Amino acid sequence: MSKSQEELIELAQRVLTHNYKQQPIVLRRGAACTVWDVAGNQYLDLTGGIAACPLGHAHPALTAAIAKQAGELIHVSNLFYVEAQILLADALVKRAHLLAEPRVFFCNSGAEANEAAIKLAKRYQTTIMGRADRIQVLSFEGSFHGRSIATVALTGQEKYRSGFGPLIEWARFVPFPEDENDMRALDAITDKTCAVLIEPIQAEGGIRVPPPDFFKALRQRCNDTGTVLIFDEVQTGVGRTGKMFGYEHEGVTPDILSLAKGLGGGVPIGAIIASGALAEGFAPGSHASTFGGNPLACAAALTVLETIDRDRLLERVTLAGERLASALAPLVKKHARAKEVRGRGLLRGLALDGDAAPVVAKVREAGVLLSVAGGTVVRFAPPFVVTDAELDRGVAALDAALAN
Ligand SMILES: Cc1ncc(COP(=O)(O)O)c(C=O)c1O
């Protein structure tokens, strides 16, 4: 006999480690932006699996591609070439055409993609440039880059690093720019710096968009000093901001960018795209992943990219994102606790003056799922297939929760 929702949650508390604070529902099924729990309750899902489900749930093309690939070949490892992996790499380099002669490495998550980016930058500096003295990697206060030891060491939020020290000595934080005149971060970049790691928008840090022209100045400083510029596009990549990659808004190109989340439409996959010169840093044996670029994940990701193109979803993200931002703006005037609307495309946040978790819980009770970013920001990261009516319903639920 199947277990009830309460029995499953009680079981979860006994058999799972306690590192997550799950909302108290057990989800079983989804379709587009709707999900159902095991008790049959229906929710509007505007979390999009934390920005990882651009096509929504159970998208017919994605389901069919995964089923077809599963019926042919799920995994063989990188002892061999894999058809779907080659085609996906080709699809990605075509989309990242602003990088010079780009190449792709595949892995399975955002943290792994950032690990690969850092390792590649280090290998490039030491083996190609002959600069083993360029040790330091810089990242920004308030950033989030993952939970592996290296990526957590480069995550600029103490709460994520706590208890894991001493962390690596070559990680250093620089200030997130407060305004367009704040260039303090650039002073720390010298001809001794190996690489700079930055998110186009600080997502887990609270949907913070750096000021205009900051990235141009950063790019220039990295050029002047020979520093590798890495964009962590794990959350902003694959169309989330209305362009395929977040850097396209900034008029600059990174040397390496990392991807994960939306790339597989919910199937775990990570990737880095590196310019050809950088990519030389990875010689045979220098880096690897057993599951990286496996047929199943790559077939899913190819379908995600094809569907984004075919259904013109980037245009939809831009329009829907503007509508969402306009709908959220009046909440700042109406509720003293609401301070600011932030973000780009379908990565938007309403910043509050305190803990956002109780507000998100109230919204859930009204049948809408949202998430918290940076402790005090209510985040919308819905599937790109979200309708206007669904966005309006989400904003109305948030409005009502704030009124309580
Ligand atoms: C910008 C960014 N980088 C890296 C990560 C880590 O990704 P993953 O959880 O897939 O390891 C995240 C996850 O939220 C992220 O938002």
Side-chain angles (χ1 to χ4, degrees):
M1 219 177 75
S2 60
K3 294 189 187 318
S4 70
Q5 182 146 271
E6 291 68 30
E7 286 167 337
L8 283 167
I9 291 174
E10 192 272 327
L11 180 58
Q13 283 167 354
R14 279 190 286 120
V15 298
L16 293 174
T17 58
H18 291 176
N19 53 310
Y20 297 109
K21 259 196 268 172
Q22 292 96 335
Q23 301 198 31
I25 53 177
V26 182
L27 298 178
R28 174 174 283 164
R29 181 167 76 83
C33 296
T34 304
V35 288
W36 288 266
D37 68 15
V38 296
N41 300 306
Q42 179 178 320
Y43 301 88
L44 171 61
D45 178 13
L46 300 179
T47 68
I50 321 184
C53 299
L55 306 188
H57 303 291
H59 189 285
L62 186 55
T63 304
I66 293 168
K68 180 168 179 288
Q69 189 62 53
E72 290 174 358
L73 192 66
I74 291 179
H75 179 73
V76 288
S77 89
N78 290 298
L79 292 173
F80 312 99
Y81 286 112
V82 168
E83 185 182 14
Q85 184 187 124
I86 299 166
L87 298 179
L88 177 60
D90 187 46
L92 286 171
V93 302
K94 284 190 175 121
R95 286 163 175 81
H97 58 88
L98 294 176
L99 277 76
E101 298 171 9
R103 290 171 182 270
V104 183
F105 166 83
F106 288 111
C107 51
N108 314 287
S109 67
E112 280 177 78
N114 286 330
E115 284 274 345
I118 297 159
K119 285 183 76 176
L120 179 58
K122 284 192 167 280
R123 285 271 311 187
Y124 166 77
Q125 295 287 17
T126 52
T127 63
I128 307 289
M129 302 307 288
R131 290 291 307 272
D133 60 317
R134 298 186 80 132
I135 290 169
Q136 213 159 55
V137 179
L138 307 185
S139 66
F140 285 74
E141 285 163 11
S143 62
F144 183 86
H145 297 295
R147 305 291 196 140
S148 67
I149 286 290
T151 57
V152 91
L154 283 161
T155 284
Q157 300 183 65
E158 173 54 30
K159 65 179 178 189
Y160 295 112
R161 297 196 305 269
S162 161
F164 300 118
L167 289 166
I168 51 185
E169 73 284 1
W170 43 260
R172 177 171 167 200
F173 301 111
V174 292
F176 182 85
E178 302 285 338
D179 55 47
E180 55 267 37
N181 300 317
D182 181 1
M183 296 288 163
R184 285 172 297 162
L186 305 194
D187 298 337
I189 304 168
T190 69
D191 62 4
K192 287 271 193 296
T193 312
C194 170
V196 174
L197 176 62
I198 185 167
E199 297 156 88
I201 296 175
Q202 282 195 345
E204 296 306 309
I207 323 289
R208 297 202 298 165
V209 185
D213 292 335
F214 178 74
F215 284 99
K216 286 206 180 86
L218 178 62
R219 176 71 272 183
Q220 190 58 52
R221 184 76 189 147
C222 288
N223 289 351
D224 294 346
T225 55
T227 301
V228 176
L229 179 55
I230 306 169
F231 274 25
D232 176 348
E233 296 249 15
V234 167
Q235 195 144 165
T236 53
V238 196
R240 176 61 48 194
T241 66
K243 295 197 184 283
M244 184 50 64
F245 305 114
Y247 69 77
E248 294 172 49
H249 293 280
E250 306 295 345
V252 301
T253 308
D255 299 306
I256 310 176
L257 66 113
S258 56
L259 299 172
K261 288 201 184 276
L263 182 57
V267 177
I269 182 168
I272 59 169
I273 309 177
S275 71
L278 259 292
E280 291 299 313
F282 274 171
S286 54
H287 195 49
S289 162
T290 297
F291 289 119
N294 99 349
L296 191 72
C298 290
L302 266 172
T303 306
V304 168
L305 296 180
E306 284 163 11
T307 307
I308 287 174
D309 283 355
R310 192 195 59 219
D311 296 349
R312 304 170 76 91
L313 290 179
L314 296 185
E315 287 161 41
R316 174 63 195 148
V317 169
T318 302
L319 285 177
E322 280 161 12
R323 182 188 177 94
L324 176 58
S326 311
L328 286 170
L331 270 52
V332 175
K333 292 212 175 70
K334 192 167 162 192
H335 304 285
R337 298 153 73 189
K339 294 296 167 206
E340 195 187 1
V341 180
R342 300 177 183 164
R344 206 171 253 158
L346 283 176
L347 181 59
R348 299 277 174 177
L350 182 69
L352 307 181
D353 66 357
D355 188 3
V359 176
V360 164
K362 268 259 166 290
V363 171
R364 187 193 68 246
E365 285 162 18
V368 176
L369 305 183
L370 290 168
S371 63
V372 179
T376 57
V377 178
V378 180
R379 168 174 43 192
F380 288 71
F384 302 170
V385 295
V386 69
T387 65
D388 288 349
E390 286 171 332
L391 289 174
D392 293 349
R393 191 176 150 217
V395 174
L398 180 55
D399 188 10
L402 287 168
N404 267 308

